[in-house]
Amino acid sequence: MTVMEQRGAYRPSPPPAWQPRTDPTPLLPDTTPYRVLGTEAAAKADPALLRRLYAELVRGRRYNAQATALTKQGRLAVYPSSTGQEACEVAAALVLQEQDWLFPSYRDTLAAVARGVDPVQALTLLRGDWHTGYDPHAHRVAPLCTPLATQLPHAVGLAHAARLKGDDVVALALVGDGGTSEGDFHEALNFAAVWQAPVVFLVQNNGFAISVPLAKQTAAPSLAHKAVGYGMPGRLVDGNDAAAVHEVLADAVARARAGGGPTLVEAITYRLDAHTNADDATRYREDAEVETWREHDPILLLERELTARGLIDEDGIRAARDDAEAFAADLRTRMNQDPHLDPMDLFAHVYAEPTPQLREQQALLRAELEAEAELAAEPEGGAR
Amino acid sequence: MTVMEQRGAYRPSPPPAWQPRTDPTPLLPDTTPYRVLGTEAAAKADPALLRRLYAELVRGRRYNAQATALTKQGRLAVYPSSTGQEACEVAAALVLQEQDWLFPSYRDTLAAVARGVDPVQALTLLRGDWHTGYDPHAHRVAPLCTPLATQLPHAVGLAHAARLKGDDVVALALVGDGGTSEGDFHEALNFAAVWQAPVVFLVQNNGFAISVPLAKQTAAPSLAHKAVGYGMPGRLVDGNDAAAVHEVLADAVARARAGGGPTLVEAITYRLDAHTNADDATRYREDAEVETWREHDPILLLERELTARGLIDEDGIRAARDDAEAFAADLRTRMNQDPHLDPMDLFAHVYAEPTPQLREQQALLRAELEAEAELAAEPEGGAR
Amino acid sequence: MTTVAVKPATMAQALTRALRDALAADPDVHVLGEDVGTLGGVFRITDGLAKEFGDHRCTDTPLAEAGILGTAVGMAMYGLRPVVEMQFDAFAYPAFEQLVSHVCRMRNRTRGTMPLPITIRVPYGGGIGGVEHHSDSSEAYYMATPGLHVVTPATVADAYGLLRQAIASDDPVVFLEPKRLYWSKDAWNPDDPPAVEPIGRAVVRRSGRSATLITYGPSLPVCLEAAEAAREEGWDLEVVDLRSLVPFDDETVCASVRRTGRAVVVHESGGFGGPGGEIAARVTERCFHYLEAPVLRVAGFDVPYPPPMLERYHLPGVDRILDAVGRLQWEAER
Amino acid sequence: MTTVAVKPATMAQALTRALRDALAADPDVHVLGEDVGTLGGVFRITDGLAKEFGDHRCTDTPLAEAGILGTAVGMAMYGLRPVVEMQFDAFAYPAFEQLVSHVCRMRNRTRGTMPLPITIRVPYGGGIGGVEHHSDSSEAYYMATPGLHVVTPATVADAYGLLRQAIASDDPVVFLEPKRLYWSKDAWNPDDPPAVEPIGRAVVRRSGRSATLITYGPSLPVCLEAAEAAREEGWDLEVVDLRSLVPFDDETVCASVRRTGRAVVVHESGGFGGPGGEIAARVTERCFHYLEAPVLRVAGFDVPYPPPMLERYHLPGVDRILDAVGRLQWEAER
Ligand SMILES: Cc1ncc(C[n+]2csc(CCOP(=O)(O)OP(=O)(O)O)c2C)c(N)n1
Ligand SMILES: Cc1ncc(C[n+]2csc(CCOP(=O)(O)OP(=O)(O)O)c2C)c(N)n1
Ligand SMILES: [Mg+2]
Ligand SMILES: [Mg+2]
């Protein structure tokens, strides 16, 4: 029987009621990036936090400069600098509690360092002696992730798992403006919202994905507007205002911790350096643009606020710089030592137990290395 | 020189101005699905269009019933019915001009048929004699697409290509509520918006992805709300109101044609049948829910409107049904003939020219078939 | 001690039972995928699990395979043992990047500190009359990806045993379920399943002296049938079921080939660049002087998987296997 | 007639020139990818093209590989010839579903009415000190995917010739560019490039009588070096450059192996399930009675690609190749 045959029985009841699944209004981001420094909101900021942020920004900037210098000396294979983005990096690290997890991308070694990872270990991937230099469990920092946006579902899964276990854990995941175009971004945010996972997504919108400007990346009013499509709140923040980033992230983390689900935060910032030391930024942007952003430098913004409010003086500034110099000197010294390399590590930890196939290959390499060593040990020109 | 060293030179200029890239307000969908039938808007609807829609709905319903019956007779391998969703299927087909392109999913054979594809050819995939039964160029209908959401970037690329060539072509792509969770959905919509491609995305939200209800699929206020995150307008429409779907799609197609870029349309509808004939819908939904939707049947909604406005009478209804019956009878007859099969087709069109490897395999199969044929030709029990 | 009657069970039932036992045995085991909860999966392998263990242990996810595997990675990072269902072979492709760039590398990347004990169940292969994208054999992709185990049962008992092993493994396992054997039956007692053998062992399913058929998963029954039929031709074929493609059991396979001196690799997957190339090459490397003839391959053709009405011409069948056996240069017989 | 001086050019320059000539020759050719426009690509292969032909012919896309390949499919459906750049091998994985479920099947699916003349350029392989995910060799995945051509140049002239052929092909071509040969130089005159040979032909790069090294792409120079070094050991090695993995030139390869009676396949890609298995198997099938020894393989180890400081231990080098040659059972010498 087709529906048409039912005509007689048709009761003109109202159509099934449609309800928005969530009220969209509160999900929409502010119309301008949230700012604290230089605004009235600054008065409410915790002075100790502002000082702490300042010290970390100064150290972070020095860290970036040092790491870039290390590439010139051939001590790093490559370095994607976060110069100009330190406010995001540092706030992301500071906003988390000890049991929380950070999910950094390749650009976020500073965030890992600010969370406590030894900078030499944080730089291992980029030095090239191993893929990850630290035990992720030690500071609850996931490995630096290179395939764009693929770390986002990991953060969601981890946060979800912690919640299933009844643990008080929030995951904070970092991604770039370019990374938001990847399918994994979409899938991660959707899973997070459906599962109400305790996770915070921080997009560092630095205006470029390598050479591709935001205008070629998205036509959205803002990246934060994407949040509404997942049913989570979107927040827009001045990414060079460390106090503002910290506050917005702290709200989002608290919300997640309280069971309120995920938040998408877009921080408007700028990468002052090239994409990496191997990149030539003059090919795709004007110096004038870079200069504009130098005037909105995260360190200067905070320094001005601290100075204006008498929270720091020349001594305090000098102390922060000295600390940063000492930090850089230590890093330099340690990075100038050759890392220990063991070719047999190729086969380590591919599986819990090497397969028979890998054992054969292991033996092959071992024999090669022994032959090489023997040859090297032989006195010039002949037999021992 | 670090930025800190520049302190003296710092000019407290305002931060780089941030502007929303598009005004988000007009992108947001209505708060309830747009309706025409039974509302004042119906008075403005073109009577000829309404009658045409009605005839197509009646025929479409009958087509779905016939195709389902064919599965029971073993004439189709599987059939994903669009019973209950005919308004979307038919409106999607009718709203397009001849030069436009339709991108259907596996569920959308009806849309292909309504656009002019021979139903036998539309059903070829599901009968199982070939993957696509029609020449996509003949009616500008892309092959029925099974991997969810993967057809969406195709639609974007085709629309973009047509625009590059200066052709007046709009692409309309169909996807389900479940399909919106895939990364390809995200990437396609983003490309479309950035490129301002003349493409319209119609999400048939039928409440389920096989057994998974919308609540487990998304936490968004509506699927149409996703549009704002791409910078395109989102429209929400009653998917069982053929006049409303047609109007909303017509607006979106016109907008795309005029260079206004893409639109995301979410149509709220319901799949009255199981996911496919192989599915047991009682495992995941109550009959009562299905009954509610039967009362909001697309055919009945339109029939009531037409009757109330004196645009159709019993004769007209009978004519539509008779046409549908004739259509079904013809389909039945033709589908009851065994399709022509040629095993050598396995190797056809894998490449423009078969590789040497394929030629070898072709020869192998040919030899097997000849041996088989010889054996079959031999009289029972012995040599010829 | 009670004696339990051994009743025939299907492979599907054994798989369900393995999941159930794993969920019961270890609270860290979580099943997730599309339609695995309320519906019990499109093949009903997860039937009843959500009811018995709760939605949080057997979870219907949103429809996004990269998201499913990606979140499983995160869950495993936190110490869970996710068992992921990909609805069909071809629908695992969206998760390819997560698989190849993360799942298989995380342990190595982190020097063993972050293993990922994930089981990825993939119904694979054809022969069930499925329309396009429902009959792929994707094992070649997984074999070429270091860091994964790749396992596939061909019998009811192995389905149970290997799946339990896969879930218990501290490494990621791609667990390939031969669709067309889901409803194959065997005497098997769910309440007293046979001891579980470790992953990585092939098994001789039929002894023979003339030649070895090397196969796995969906092609095992076809090979056994071919071996029966071969008796008429005077060939006594040995049939080896690999069960595990990674790790590969060179020992068992080569022992057989050394005995018989001839071998044919049989699988549904396309021949070119398929598993058979690896298998033939490694057997030849190891058994060269025992071989009377080159190791031959009977595989699916190198074409997109055909529509249901034509699949029988594509799939390796008894005749095609016997033809290959016939080409093993018997004139060279010692 | 003007005589043009033949100056050395890099492979990168030849590739750029091929794209430029293709864009100039056919308005339907469109280049798209990440950073291919303003920047000219991270390897500068598309340098200057956006400027010369406009943004619409050489387009910076949003950052989404499935989106890039998926829209390229749509563009090809409409009659364009998209040339897609994947930034690095590992970053092609997100596009895997589009590749395997659509690109390679559309012609077959539509009985030839909808061919997809797409060229997918993938910089591949290691040896450039790249950090994780920047040195993968993914050719095994593509070889196992019917419907694709898989092509890889090893010389400057082939880079130009094969890329022109790929773009001109009515079939989808995965065009693998050996990263570490981008800056390799050769005498080559861009204004008078040698005639373009059709895809599918291997070439003997060095003649020899003792054994055949079968290789392609990044490993060709290593093999040629090994062949030189082998002279000291008294071996005269032949070196075959496959150039095209699909279609495979059985004729050229087998002719060489029949002459020499011994062969080693050399590639960077992992050995297990890698291209070498297919090659060794098919050579053995065809040349069994000519072989003095099994076809051996020298490949990358079956591990995730190692970090830059360790890659030299992973990559097949001269010594490892010579060791393999040494294992070719010379005692059996006729
Ligand atoms: C899946 C994937 N595709 C491409 C790349 C190559 N790649 C590395 S960084 C980058 C740009 C990323 O831009 P964005 O997300 O804005 O982050 P940013 O570098 O600005 O911090 C690209 C394309 C990659 N790492 N992963
Ligand atoms: C990539 C992919 N994953 C999984 C499937 C299997 N599958 C087929 S239909 C379907 C549900 C689709 O739901 P929806 O998008 O809402 O469309 P509907 O079936 O309701 O029309 C699933 C999971 C598929 N076809 N493709
Ligand atoms: Mg960026
Ligand atoms: Mg649906």
Side-chain angles (χ1 to χ4, degrees), chain A residues 106-107 146-148 176-179 182 206 208-210 275, chain C residues 97, chain D residues 34-35 63 65 87 91 94:
Chain A
Y106 53 91
R107 193 175 301 289
T146 299
L148 293 162
D177 47 313
E182 291 280 6
N206 62 9
F208 287 91
I210 309 185
H275 171 67
Chain C
E97 182 188 27
Chain D
E34 294 156 7
D35 302 289
L63 212 167
E65 293 78 9
Q87 202 159 77
F91 308 143

Side-chain angles (χ1 to χ4, degrees), chain B residues 177-376:
Chain B
D177 47 314
T180 65
S181 295
E182 291 280 6
D184 277 28
F185 172 86
H186 177 67
E187 301 187 9
L189 268 75
N190 189 45
F191 273 66
V194 170
W195 287 351
Q196 289 290 291
V199 57
V200 176
F201 304 98
L202 172 59
V203 180
Q204 293 189 54
N205 176 358
N206 63 8
F208 288 90
I210 310 186
S211 71
V212 179
L214 192 68
K216 291 187 184 177
Q217 200 63 251
T218 180
S222 78
L223 295 169
H225 274 87
K226 291 182 184 290
V228 66
Y230 304 103
M232 69 175 76
R235 300 289 310 268
L236 187 61
V237 63
D238 183 337
N240 286 13
D241 179 335
V245 180
H246 191 279
E247 184 184 324
V248 168
L249 287 180
D251 285 354
V253 167
R255 183 189 162 92
R257 200 178 301 288
T263 303
L264 172 65
V265 179
E266 175 186 3
I268 309 293
T269 182
Y270 196 80
R271 148 167 80 63
L272 291 170
D273 287 345
H275 171 67
T276 68
N277 55 297
D279 176 41
D280 173 8
T282 64
R283 282 188 164 238
Y284 54 81
R285 66 184 192 188
E286 302 289 336
D287 280 352
E289 181 182 295
V290 183
E291 285 314 312
T292 326
W293 280 93
R294 282 199 199 285
E295 289 166 18
H296 193 61
D297 187 282
I299 300 182
L300 294 183
L301 289 184
L302 186 49
E303 204 172 291
R304 184 156 47 125
E305 184 75 44
L306 288 169
T307 311
R309 290 179 50 201
L311 295 174
I312 204 165
D313 56 12
E314 285 296 326
D315 283 354
I317 291 173
R318 198 170 320 109
R321 289 194 204 176
D322 290 350
D323 163 78
E325 280 308 327
F327 180 87
D330 174 63
L331 175 58
R332 200 165 48 233
T333 313
R334 292 195 293 139
M335 288 296 288
N336 275 325
Q337 284 151 29
D338 289 333
H340 168 79
L341 293 177
D342 179 359
M344 295 311 294
D345 275 359
L346 286 187
F347 302 99
H349 311 298
V350 179
Y351 297 95
E353 291 294 326
T355 61
Q357 286 70 47
L358 280 187
R359 269 198 292 268
E360 281 179 17
Q361 296 173 25
Q362 226 167 349
L364 179 79
L365 179 59
R366 192 174 294 116
E368 285 181 4
L369 294 171
E370 278 163 10
E372 218 176 78
E374 231 165 80
L375 219 66

